[in-house]
Amino acid sequence: MNSYQEFKIIDNITKLIESSFGIHGKLKLISQVFDHKNDEGDNDDVVSSTQKIIFTNDGLLIFKSLNNDSPYYKIILQQSNYIKNRFGCGVSQYIILTNNILKRSIKLINNKGSSSSSSSTFSINQILNIFQECRLFIKNNFNEKFIINLKEEIFQNDQLLESIIKTNLSKNLLSIHYKRICTIFKKLIKILPSLDINKIKIKTIVSSNEDDNNNNNSDGGGSDGENNINNYNDNNLTSNQDNNEIEIKLLNGILMKSKFSFAGRDKLIKMIENPKILLLDYEIELKHQKEFANIEISNVNDYLEFINAEKSLISKQLENIYNLNINLILNKKVIGDLAIQEFVKKNNNNNNINPNNSNNNSNNNSNNTSNNNNNNNNNNSNKNNNRSSFKINCIGSINNINEFESIRKSIGGYTQSSLQSLSLDPSFYGTCKKYKQIVIGKKSYELFEGCQFSDTQTIILKGSSKKFLKEAKLGLESLLTTFRSIIIDDDFKFVGSSSNFEFVIINLLNQLIAFKKKQNQHQYQGSLSANLIKEILVIKSLQKSIKDIIKLLVLNSNLNLDLIDQLFAQVNNTDSDDDSDNQNNFTNLKSCINVEDNSIGNILDLNLFEPKSMKLSILNSSIETSCILLKTITT
């Protein structure tokens, strides 16, 4: 396959992405069929097929789904992955711009760039050199007057933050929920620079019609109202909303789905503040019962002796837990029903303590009032100690090692493998500001809030459709990546959106042309040299490639194409030496296309901004990739 056929493959794939580009880009329904041989059965020649449906307008997903063996495809895919991982978005524009540059460059190489054959013969090296010159000129001249610093304003202006989020979510199903997402990101922005990307968990929960009755059907286990699992509620996670609407909530902690447990755990404490947490890899259950499934007992006394021996083994192990004032146990292995029942008894004994008993005792013996008061004080202090010691809960069967380790790193501590000799060192035990067992929808979850060893945030997305939640999660992950880039790479520096950046770049290239013409006048006394004509043609081909991006945005938004002419009419006399003209041009370079109003607007008035590093990186990557691929052409 020659180079031109390879370019045709990229062009065909790009055409599928073009209609999904922009704020009003169309969603793509892609069906993938995977053939694989059936390993089972006698006939090895039988081929089975698996179908996968993709419903998205994400440029990278579309490009990946159209897998191709072309080396050109692989090069563009590699750079697309880099852009996605670094900035969270911008892949569609990178692929489209790269394809535009390639197509126009090939036209020049094939002698279709000009009607004058004597001045339109281009070598590949000439084109590559001019492209590199354009990149260098943009780098040196794209200065502070084109950059908007919003470091202070973004924390004070909710409309500005909402606009940035809405712009970056424009291609995702979450865009209609940008106001609620804004409230979450107002909290996240301050901690994002110091927060590892892996410490922001996004939990998707599929709701159902039964969620509405969930709170009414629970048995309300637990001792105090504050510990009752049903008392957990939030305006952003309620069950009375339309099931088609997504619900969003930010939790300051790590969330884990409740595991299987034996009967009785629902009676344990549901909320513990500053718990001392034991991390365990040890089965807490009746050992002999497990090892000897069948035993013969001839009389009742032997049976009672066996049962008491079993209980004694468990009781001694649990005593070690009570003595160390452990409040919560996280166990990789099973916590048996006897241990859970013992924990329930301890909690119930704590709740049944009557603070008036001491007063009754003092009234029964008036002659010993002073002694009784002393005894009452001692009893009260012991009871208070018992309260904190007996506030306990347990979570067993945490089989997922990655999940267990993620929690351990957040709460601190080390995993212990026995209850016989628990460590006295406090560093062996984890802690957090608050542990809660909560219900979201129909399911129970364990929440560890305020993890001091590793700050972890959990974003909950709750909705009625798995496909919708998957797309929403991808959009939220991209938005988090984008904001990390804004904060860490750009320090809250932005460029204009809705084609303003492309508008500025095209005008900068006009300045490069004007500069070259001025140099030519001194050397050729007004007439343009043949070499300069060719250079201008290459620069204009790059300008047209960028302008095609603006045109595509207008077409996909069903706007009037005259808007493009109106936009570029905002700047006249860009090479004027008059200071007043230059000042007007600077003001007009804030112009943009108002997609919502089908008019020309100002980025400052409309709050239309995109990350500086992302936009410049897309432009540079498109030019670089084009140069790499053009070098493979043999003429």
Side-chain angles (χ1 to χ4, degrees):
M1 187 180 294
N2 62 40
S3 302
Y4 294 105
Q5 289 175 313
E6 298 277 3
F7 288 135
K8 190 65 178 176
I9 292 172
I10 301 302
D11 186 40
N12 290 334
I13 294 175
T14 303
K15 286 176 182 177
L16 294 174
I17 297 174
E18 285 179 347
S19 59
S20 69
F21 176 72
I23 296 175
H24 299 291
K26 294 179 178 64
L27 287 166
K28 296 292 182 182
L29 182 61
I30 301 171
S31 175
Q32 291 179 300
V33 179
F34 302 94
D35 294 334
H36 55 88
K37 285 190 175 182
N38 192 353
D39 295 333
E40 299 179 1
D42 299 330
N43 192 351
D44 295 336
D45 297 329
V46 175
V47 177
S48 301
S49 296
T50 303
Q51 187 178 29
K52 182 180 179 182
I53 303 297
I54 300 174
F55 189 58
T56 184
N57 57 7
D58 182 273
L60 181 60
L61 284 179
I62 297 171
F63 196 73
K64 279 183 174 180
S65 68
L66 305 170
N67 189 28
N68 195 281
D69 293 331
S70 164
Y72 290 15
Y73 173 89
K74 303 294 184 185
I75 291 171
I76 294 176
L77 178 60
Q78 182 179 16
Q79 188 62 23
S80 297
N81 282 320
Y82 167 78
I83 291 172
K84 184 72 171 181
N85 294 333
R86 173 82 183 276
F87 304 109
C89 56
V91 173
S92 293
Q93 182 168 345
Y94 159 71
I95 295 171
I96 294 168
L97 181 56
T98 301
N99 186 61
N100 290 346
I101 295 172
L102 286 172
K103 285 197 299 183
R104 293 191 177 277
S105 298
I106 291 170
K107 284 183 179 180
L108 292 175
I109 293 169
N110 289 339
N111 199 23
K112 297 178 182 178
S114 172
S115 59
S116 175
S117 59
S118 61
S119 61
S120 60
T121 304
F122 294 87
S123 70
I124 294 174
N125 286 335
Q126 282 179 317
I127 294 174
L128 300 184
N129 290 336
I130 298 169
F131 280 166
Q132 295 303 331
E133 187 179 353
C134 291
R135 282 187 59 216
L136 185 61
F137 185 84
I138 292 170
K139 179 182 177 181
N140 293 336
N141 291 274
F142 194 87
N143 50 39
E144 293 299 321
K145 70 180 181 182
F146 305 118
I147 298 170
I148 301 96
N149 193 327
L150 301 174
K151 189 170 186 179
E152 300 298 330
E153 194 174 356
I154 201 169
F155 292 103
Q156 302 167 1
N157 189 340
D158 287 351
Q159 289 184 341
L160 174 61
L161 184 59
E162 286 177 4
S163 179
I164 294 170
I165 290 173
K166 187 178 179 180
T167 300
N168 284 277
L169 281 177
S170 60
K171 295 181 64 177
N172 190 268
L173 298 172
L174 269 182
S175 58
I176 59 174
H177 304 286
Y178 69 91
K179 286 185 178 290
R180 275 190 279 171
I181 294 173
C182 180
T183 60
I184 290 175
F185 272 79
K186 281 178 69 176
K187 300 174 184 177
L188 283 177
I189 282 175
K190 296 180 181 179
I191 60 174
L192 266 177
S194 59
L195 196 61
D196 190 318
I197 192 65
N198 296 321
K199 295 301 179 184
I200 302 178
K201 310 291 184 181
I202 301 176
K203 191 79 176 176
T204 57
I205 299 171
V206 180
S207 61
S208 68
N209 293 331
E210 298 177 22
D211 288 356
D212 296 338
N213 301 320
N214 184 68
N215 289 343
N216 298 328
N217 294 336
S218 298
D219 60 9
S223 56
D224 300 323
E226 64 177 0
N227 297 324
N228 193 326
I229 193 169
N230 299 313
N231 285 349
Y232 180 80
N233 195 6
D234 189 275
N235 292 332
N236 292 330
L237 269 180
T238 55
S239 300
N240 56 2
Q241 298 182 20
D242 190 334
N243 276 338
N244 292 326
E245 186 177 357
I246 199 165
E247 301 170 33
I248 307 163
K249 168 72 178 175
L250 176 67
L251 301 176
N252 178 22
I254 189 167
L255 193 71
M256 176 179 70
K257 189 176 179 180
S258 296
K259 309 302 179 185
F260 167 80
S261 65
F262 290 98
R265 186 172 178 250
D266 58 314
K267 304 297 181 184
L268 293 175
I269 297 293
K270 301 295 187 295
M271 186 182 74
I272 305 173
E273 293 184 355
N274 299 309
K276 184 177 182 180
I277 304 172
L278 170 64
L279 298 156
L280 199 60
D281 186 8
Y282 178 76
E283 291 181 349
I284 311 176
E285 62 174 346
L286 301 176
K287 298 296 181 183
H288 293 137
Q289 179 177 313
K290 178 184 176 183
E291 294 168 5
F292 306 105
N294 298 314
I295 64 170
E296 294 183 5
I297 297 177
S298 57
N299 57 64
V300 175
N301 290 333
D302 289 345
Y303 173 74
L304 293 176
E305 183 179 351
F306 173 77
I307 292 298
N308 290 332
E310 289 282 85
K311 287 185 176 180
S312 177
L313 287 172
I314 293 290
S315 297
K316 287 179 182 178
Q317 294 177 353
L318 299 185
E319 237 4 90
N320 293 333
I321 294 174
Y322 305 144
N323 292 337
L324 290 171
N325 295 321
I326 291 169
N327 308 116
L328 183 62
I329 303 167
L330 302 183
N331 197 350
K332 292 182 180 179
K333 296 180 179 175
V334 175
I335 299 178
D337 55 348
L338 179 59
I340 291 176
Q341 291 167 21
E342 289 298 317
F343 293 149
V344 172
K345 287 180 184 178
K346 287 292 181 182
N347 283 330
N348 289 339
N349 289 339
N350 175 51
N351 295 329
N352 291 332
I353 294 173
N354 186 354
N356 295 322
N357 285 343
S358 60
N359 294 332
N360 294 333
N361 290 334
S362 63
N363 292 332
N364 290 337
N365 218 335
S366 58
N367 294 330
N368 297 322
T369 301
S370 60
N371 291 334
N372 284 336
N373 287 337
N374 291 333
N375 290 333
N376 290 337
N377 291 334
N378 291 332
N379 287 337
N380 287 335
S381 64
N382 289 332
K383 290 169 187 174
N384 289 333
N385 289 334
N386 287 336
R387 282 180 184 273
S388 61
S389 300
F390 296 153
K391 198 175 252 191
I392 193 166
N393 203 327
C394 59
I395 308 166
S397 303
I398 308 176
N399 301 320
N400 190 320
I401 296 175
N402 292 332
E403 185 178 39
F404 187 90
E405 283 300 306
S406 177
I407 295 172
R408 186 191 68 78
K409 290 176 182 178
S410 296
I411 64 175
Y414 299 94
T415 305
Q416 302 188 58
S417 57
S418 173
L419 289 176
Q420 305 296 337
S421 55
L422 291 174
S423 175
L424 300 177
D425 187 350
S427 65
F428 272 71
Y429 300 90
T431 189
C432 61
K433 289 184 178 179
K434 188 180 290 185
Y435 157 76
K436 288 181 183 178
Q437 187 182 354
I438 64 175
V439 164
I440 303 173
K442 299 193 325 178
K443 297 177 182 178
S444 175
Y445 293 85
E446 318 292 339
L447 174 63
F448 304 86
E449 290 184 340
C451 303
Q452 60 185 30
F453 286 90
S454 180
D455 192 5
T456 305
Q457 305 288 316
T458 301
I459 300 174
I460 298 175
L461 295 175
K462 181 169 174 275
S464 59
S465 167
K466 282 185 178 181
K467 287 188 179 297
F468 180 86
L469 288 174
K470 185 178 180 181
E471 182 71 16
K473 184 178 179 181
L474 287 173
L476 206 52
E477 287 173 343
S478 296
L479 187 62
L480 284 167
T481 305
T482 300
F483 265 86
R484 285 181 66 84
S485 173
I486 288 170
I487 298 168
I488 297 172
D489 298 336
D490 292 337
D491 194 25
F492 297 97
K493 292 177 181 176
F494 294 83
V495 295
S497 182
S498 286
S499 301
N500 171 264
F501 175 79
E502 290 75 20
F503 170 59
V504 169
I505 295 299
I506 290 172
N507 279 284
L508 279 178
L509 293 176
N510 279 336
Q511 292 181 18
L512 175 59
I513 293 172
F515 175 74
K516 284 182 170 292
K517 285 181 177 179
K518 192 173 288 187
Q519 281 186 324
N520 180 86
Q521 286 176 357
H522 296 297
Q523 188 172 359
Y524 293 94
Q525 299 177 351
S527 61
L528 298 180
S529 66
N531 191 51
L532 178 59
I533 292 173
K534 291 165 66 174
E535 289 182 1
I536 291 174
L537 285 172
V538 175
I539 296 172
K540 285 188 176 293
S541 76
L542 180 58
Q543 285 180 308
K544 289 176 182 177
S545 299
I546 299 171
K547 196 171 183 178
D548 286 342
I549 294 288
I550 304 176
K551 183 179 179 181
L552 189 60
L553 174 69
V554 171
L555 288 173
N556 287 351
S557 302
N558 294 319
L559 302 179
N560 191 338
L561 282 174
D562 291 340
L563 284 177
I564 301 175
D565 294 331
Q566 294 176 31
L567 178 64
F568 284 92
Q570 300 293 309
V571 177
N572 296 309
N573 303 319
T574 53
D575 56 344
S576 173
D577 295 327
D578 188 87
D579 292 337
S580 61
D581 284 341
N582 288 333
Q583 183 61 39
N584 289 332
N585 289 332
F586 168 68
T587 303
N588 291 335
L589 283 171
K590 302 298 180 187
S591 299
C592 66
I593 294 175
N594 186 346
V595 175
E596 303 298 332
D597 198 33
N598 195 12
S599 63
I600 300 299
N602 187 291
I603 57 172
L604 300 177
D605 298 332
L606 298 173
N607 287 329
L608 291 176
F609 306 108
E610 288 187 274
K612 173 181 71 78
S613 293
M614 181 193 75
K615 297 295 286 187
L616 287 172
S617 179
I618 290 170
L619 177 63
N620 287 325
S621 295
S622 298
I623 296 174
E624 284 180 1
T625 305
S626 300
C627 290
I628 291 170
L629 299 183
L630 288 171
K631 287 179 182 178
T632 64
I633 295 177
T634 55
T635 56

